[in-house]
Amino acid sequence: MAIELPDNVMVSKLDQLASWCRKNSLWPMPFATACCGIELMATGASRHDLARFGAEVFRFSPRQCDLMIVAGRVVMKMLPVLQRIWQQMHEPKWCISMGACASTGGVFDTYAVVQGIDRFIPVDMYVPGCPPRPEQLIQAIIDLQDKIQNEGTILGQEFDMASRQQPKRALVELPVLGQSPTFVRPPLEVRR
Amino acid sequence: MITGRAVDALTARFPGVQSDEFRGQARVVVHPDSLHDVLAFLRDEHQFQLLIDITCVDYLHYRDATDRYGLVYLLATLEQGARVTVRTWLNDPDPVIATVTDLWSGADWLEREVWDMFGIVFVGHPDLRRILLPDQFTSHPLRKDYPLQGRGERHNFTAIRRGEA
Amino acid sequence: MPLTIASAESAHQDERDYLWTLNFGPQHPATHTTLRLVLKLDGERVVDAVPDIGYLHSGFEKIGEHLDYNQYVTVTDRMNYISPMANNVAWHGAVEQLMGIELTRRCQYIRVIISELARISDHLLCVGAMGLDTGAFTFFLYGFYQRERIYDIFESLCGARFTNSYTRVGGVMHDMTPLTIQKIRDFLHDFPKTLDDMERLLNRNRIFVDRTKDVGVLTRDEAIQRCTSGPIARASGVTRDLRKDEPYLAYADFDFRVCCAQAGDCFARYYVRMAEMHESLKILQQAIENLPAGPVNVGIDERAHLPDKSQVYQTIEGTITHFEMVMNNRGIKVPSDEAYGAVEAPNGELGFYVVGDGSDVAYRARCRPPSFIHFATFPHLIRGHTLSDVVAVLGSLNIIAAELDR
């Protein structure tokens, strides 16, 4: 026999409730380095107006944000900065890699440009294009919201999946600069 | 006209200066030792008050090239739109040249960039260190013997995984 | 990798205990993109500033030695990405200088039109961001809306919003359509009103004027000493403008003024940019009304540009030229020599020093970046001002990191 509930009471799972709250209050951290940053600005400006999709609160302090949008190429001098800012953000946090350069290095297959930030930090959503149009970025944010709603748990167990843990591709290039190889991964430890 | 006069005066004043013209651009080639004097002469006596650019070309793989580095100084006048290109050749064991930061303080960063990219040493420069690349970098990437993709410097970092904060 | 500057400490021996050091950037909203300053502060007063750049150095010049003359235009788009058309024109202007190609009249006019549109969009973002940093958000939104209009024009012209890659050696990608011309006409009709609104918002705004007047003064002698060009130099009283002094393309045909100021402070730089937009509008008006008819690309005997499709299909010379242009070992013939070509980009003199070696790939593609040279003046400009003036000075210099670092 069903329990009689008043009209203004709904039943849900706690996980879904938490995900629903999280997905609709994404605070982006614009890590804009190059051309894609201009499209990021255009996305936030008058015509495209990201506020319609609940992710318009751009904050420049990583402590306040939970979505990092890496817009533009990341070069080797910038990568430690990127990593430090990523580490300063609080969990749960997500990362959108906007544009070809951030995702793969794009046309810049040169000595200085990191060939895809996903080698060094975890990435949740890739936006193709050079630069992507604002509509594409908006679509990526909507997709990320879907992903958070469908996969999210209140304890963040989805982040423990093996595919989310490891950098996505083989690290083939050897390090130099007279240092010992720094690609030795620390052993996987089990959280909780 | 200004350029022609300046080039004539230059060849009269400094022996060994070669001049030619290509597509309407006057160019002179000077000896590295007299470069500073030539630039000072052009600036003070022939109105070429503006230093446009300092750059370098590595002629390692260039056909029929006899010298390795060609240093290029572009000068212009303020008003009449006259320009002159001053070039000089340097070679490998010690590519060294006198700085022009005492003539133009704007040459500071331009010379640092040439040092960073080609390893040309500017004697007398107040602060000659790398400008675009990290201090730990060991090569000069715009030299022709440096590969386009680099030697792996770009991926010499530790990856961060989820949960490491 | 440690985030320190090698000689920032040793460079200043007179350091006293009460001075403290503030790191500004490389990730900071007011740096616009990626640049870093290490500021020495005495209370709120900036005693010294040490810029640290290279956080976006991506090897543009190295990649220029591996892409051919038409491919490299895509990379120049990403150089000063708020006015890519000006970079396209500068790059191919330099290549054509090296090859000795004379463009058709229509092509010259089209390039003037796109350069001036790029100038307006660059200045709009520069003054808009400067307003934003000093607290005028409405001004920024007004400017950005008009930039979207310019993006629409570029989109109908070549399909991309702002990484256009529109020029080619000896011509442009394809001709300007009547739709584009109509869009430019509409823009020319609407934009002056917005520009007047923007001027009314800031020109006599007490807060803005107080924050920019007499801040970051660059005297005329210093401007020459420090190799500046473009609006920065013109705001300091240097009257040099390549469009007037060495008229390239079709600039000799147009009636416009070179906008200068005497003060050399941030407000003068803002004001010169606003005035230049009016002059750009004048040039655009004249260029659109007098756009010559005729072919847009150079003829097939120049061997520089892919011939027109009608020629390829109907004449044997056209077919042969087309094949030779796309063959690996033929392509464009560039002399083994070097040349420098420059244009008056929105930010200053943007030039390319191109060394050809006979192949269709440049042996060296040196870019003379105005931002790089202007940013070198920054420590001189900020010394003695307060911390809040840093953003005003940075905004007035219009530093674009991708052009700064390449």
Side-chain angles (χ1 to χ4, degrees):
Chain A
M1 154 192 167
I3 305 167
E4 281 293 317
L5 282 176
D7 285 349
N8 55 354
V9 174
M10 283 166 63
V11 178
S12 175
K13 283 192 277 187
L14 192 56
D15 280 351
Q16 284 200 354
L17 180 67
S19 304
W20 179 76
C21 295
R22 280 174 188 160
K23 85 164 192 186
N24 288 314
S25 63
L26 287 174
W27 284 30
M29 152 89 211
F31 193 89
T33 57
C35 347
C36 293
I38 302 290
E39 286 293 50
L40 187 59
M41 280 160 77
T43 317
S46 356
R47 185 184 286 186
H48 297 282
D49 196 8
L50 196 55
R52 295 177 296 159
F53 304 94
E56 84 281 17
V57 197
F58 285 99
R59 282 291 176 275
F60 292 93
S61 164
R63 306 264 181 216
Q64 299 174 342
C65 299
D66 48 14
L67 167 64
M68 178 187 253
I69 302 179
V70 182
R73 54 194 177 272
V74 176
V75 307
M76 64 182 171
K77 205 169 175 181
M78 195 66 177
L79 188 73
V81 181
L82 173 74
Q83 287 185 326
R84 180 178 292 189
I85 288 178
W86 173 252
Q87 285 178 328
Q88 282 174 345
M89 287 167 61
H90 291 298
E91 292 278 5
K93 57 190 175 188
W94 295 271
C95 177
I96 290 181
S97 161
M98 178 181 178
C101 297
S103 306
T104 66
V107 67
F108 297 102
D109 189 7
T110 61
Y111 52 91
V113 182
V114 173
Q115 301 295 298
I117 56 163
D118 53 356
R119 289 166 185 257
F120 300 109
I121 65 168
V123 173
D124 292 284
M125 194 65 70
Y126 300 85
V127 190
C130 189
R133 297 180 60 93
E135 293 89 337
Q136 275 174 285
L137 180 63
I138 292 172
Q139 182 65 47
I141 288 175
I142 294 171
D143 287 349
L144 183 68
Q145 287 174 341
D146 282 353
K147 187 173 174 177
I148 295 169
Q149 177 68 67
N150 294 333
E151 296 179 4
T153 57
I154 193 164
L155 295 174
Q157 280 152 346
E158 74 273 17
F159 295 142
D160 289 341
M161 288 185 327
S163 63
R164 289 262 182 102
Q165 281 286 339
Q166 300 294 342
K168 288 209 171 51
R169 48 185 107 164
L171 300 167
V172 286
E173 294 185 356
L174 288 174
V176 286
L177 300 181
Q179 297 168 358
S180 59
T182 47
F183 285 140
V184 183
R185 290 192 201 113
L188 273 175
E189 82 225 29
V190 183
R191 292 172 71 212
R192 277 186 306 282
Chain B
M1 201 165 68
I2 295 176
T3 315
R5 269 209 304 274
V7 169
D8 291 345
L10 205 60
T11 39
R13 173 89 172 264
F14 296 91
V17 170
Q18 303 153 13
S19 67
D20 67 335
E21 197 177 298
F22 178 68
R23 309 265 189 237
Q25 298 180 339
R27 304 185 295 197
V28 291
V29 177
V30 302
H31 192 268
D33 293 341
S34 62
L35 179 83
H36 186 276
D37 297 339
V38 167
L39 294 180
F41 176 72
L42 285 173
R43 183 186 78 148
D44 298 334
E45 296 176 30
H46 287 279
Q47 304 172 32
F48 286 95
Q49 291 168 348
L50 210 55
L51 175 72
I52 300 292
D53 198 4
I54 300 175
T55 187
C56 181
V57 185
D58 180 2
Y59 289 104
L60 183 64
H61 299 146
Y62 203 74
R63 205 183 315 132
D64 305 331
T66 48
D67 302 273
R68 169 117 193 227
Y69 303 108
L71 216 52
V72 182
Y73 291 74
L74 302 170
L75 304 186
T77 58
L78 275 177
E79 264 145 31
Q80 295 84 349
R83 287 173 186 274
V84 67
T85 307
V86 180
R87 294 194 291 171
T88 185
W89 312 119
L90 295 175
N91 276 302
D92 221 351
D94 51 350
V96 173
I97 190 104
T99 180
V100 294
T101 43
D102 51 334
L103 300 179
W104 291 279
S105 42
D108 181 357
W109 280 25
L110 294 168
E111 290 184 349
R112 276 176 70 187
E113 192 190 354
V114 172
W115 152 249
D116 195 357
M117 292 293 153
F118 290 93
I120 310 282
V121 178
F122 291 88
V123 177
H125 189 283
D127 185 20
L128 194 65
R129 58 194 162 88
R130 287 193 178 273
I131 183 163
L132 292 177
L133 291 162
D135 291 329
Q136 298 92 332
F137 209 79
T138 48
S139 319
H140 299 287
L142 278 185
R143 288 187 177 182
K144 285 283 172 181
D145 49 8
Y146 186 83
L148 172 66
Q149 272 93 3
R151 300 195 175 117
E153 294 94 336
R154 63 185 177 185
H155 289 154
N156 196 11
F157 300 96
T158 320
I160 292 184
R161 299 172 304 148
R162 277 277 178 190
E164 288 176 358
Chain C
M1 212 173 277
L3 290 174
T4 52
I5 289 186
S7 59
E9 296 305 314
S10 58
H12 313 289
Q13 277 86 13
D14 61 337
E15 180 186 9
R16 282 155 295 180
D17 284 345
Y18 57 85
L19 295 186
W20 54 290
T21 309
L22 180 74
N23 181 52
F24 186 94
Q27 226 293 317
H28 185 278
T31 62
H32 297 266
T33 40
T34 54
L35 37 96
R36 177 169 172 238
L37 297 165
V38 180
L39 303 169
K40 263 214 162 75
L41 300 177
D42 173 7
E44 212 184 334
R45 206 150 290 278
V46 179
V47 178
D48 201 3
V50 181
D52 181 20
I53 65 170
Y55 286 93
L56 200 55
H57 174 68
S58 353
F60 277 49
E61 290 174 11
K62 188 81 176 173
I63 211 169
E65 297 164 7
H66 294 80
L67 296 180
D68 75 30
Y69 291 103
N70 277 331
Q71 288 170 334
Y72 189 60
V73 75
T74 58
V75 177
T76 62
D77 276 339
R78 281 121 187 115
M79 204 171 275
N80 179 349
Y81 41 73
I82 61 178
S83 55
M85 285 294 201
N87 302 2
N88 295 172
V89 172
W91 165 247
H92 277 142
V95 174
E96 282 146 13
Q97 175 88 26
L98 176 65
M99 296 173 67
I101 294 176
E102 181 72 24
L103 293 172
T104 62
R105 291 296 288 166
R106 187 174 174 86
C107 181
Q108 289 179 345
Y109 269 65
I110 288 179
R111 285 195 184 183
V112 167
I113 290 170
I114 61 176
S115 303
E116 294 308 315
L117 282 172
R119 189 180 317 277
I120 290 178
S121 93
D122 189 296
H123 286 348
L124 275 178
L125 187 78
C126 172
V127 294
M130 188 181 171
L132 182 67
D133 290 344
T134 49
F137 194 59
T138 319
F139 185 76
F140 170 77
L141 288 179
Y142 277 27
F144 223 93
Y145 183 71
Q146 294 302 321
R147 276 174 62 81
E148 291 280 348
R149 303 269 316 266
I150 297 177
Y151 284 164
D152 284 348
I153 294 170
F154 286 164
E155 205 174 0
S156 75
L157 187 63
C158 64
R161 274 161 63 84
F162 70 91
T163 45
N164 312 99
S165 309
Y166 180 59
T167 57
R168 295 288 181 273
V169 178
V172 295
M173 191 167 80
H174 53 71
D175 201 355
M176 202 173 249
T177 57
L179 175 71
T180 312
I181 292 173
Q182 188 53 46
K183 283 196 168 188
I184 296 174
R185 284 221 169 96
D186 292 348
F187 176 76
L188 290 180
H189 181 258
D190 298 345
F191 182 61
K193 191 169 164 298
T194 314
L195 195 55
D196 290 345
D197 280 348
M198 290 173 76
E199 286 188 330
R200 272 205 298 278
L201 270 175
L202 279 198
N203 273 9
R204 297 178 48 156
N205 182 316
R206 180 70 189 274
I207 302 170
F208 183 74
V209 172
D210 278 358
R211 285 200 62 179
T212 52
K213 261 241 148 71
D214 296 327
V215 171
V217 177
L218 188 70
T219 60
R220 184 173 188 273
D221 290 345
E222 281 287 340
I224 297 166
Q225 260 285 310
R226 292 176 187 269
C227 312
T228 58
S229 57
I232 314 283
R234 285 197 286 277
S236 302
V238 179
T239 55
R240 186 165 179 270
D241 187 325
L242 295 189
R243 293 176 293 173
K244 277 278 190 221
D245 290 346
E246 18 191 302
Y248 55 95
L249 296 177
Y251 277 111
D253 298 359
F254 303 121
D255 169 38
F256 66 101
R257 289 177 303 173
V258 176
C259 308
C260 296
Q262 293 284 345
D265 55 5
C266 291
F267 188 76
R269 291 191 275 273
Y270 156 81
Y271 202 80
V272 164
R273 287 202 162 94
M274 292 302 268
E276 277 192 3
M277 282 196 265
H278 284 289
E279 298 305 311
S280 292
L281 279 176
K282 265 161 67 180
I283 297 175
L284 277 171
Q285 203 92 45
Q286 297 166 46
I288 281 287
E289 295 312 325
N290 301 318
L291 188 65
V296 67
N297 298 324
V298 291
I300 54 173
D301 43 336
E302 292 273 8
R303 297 273 159 115
H305 194 282
L306 281 179
D308 194 47
K309 276 283 175 285
S310 62
Q311 277 180 315
V312 176
Y313 293 143
Q314 285 161 17
T315 65
I316 187 69
E317 298 85 12
T319 316
I320 293 172
T321 314
H322 184 95
F323 271 111
E324 287 204 333
M325 289 296 298
V326 297
M327 273 162 73
N328 263 343
N329 52 352
R330 297 291 178 86
I332 301 171
K333 284 277 174 288
V334 176
S336 291
D337 216 315
E338 29 205 279
Y340 176 77
V343 300
E344 182 73 32
N347 237 352
E349 173 173 345
L350 176 68
F352 283 91
Y353 190 81
V354 190
V355 181
D357 61 351
S359 69
D360 60 347
V361 176
Y363 187 78
R364 172 102 167 89
R366 157 73 182 173
C367 168
R368 188 252 186 216
S371 286
F372 184 78
I373 289 151
H374 293 161
F375 193 44
T377 63
F378 181 77
H380 171 74
L381 293 184
I382 198 61
R383 218 163 276 147
H385 292 294
T386 60
L387 180 58
S388 56
D389 294 334
V390 170
V391 290
V393 175
L394 270 181
S396 74
L397 286 181
N398 193 20
I399 307 298
I400 308 300
E403 187 187 64
L404 175 75
D405 297 340
R406 287 153 289 128

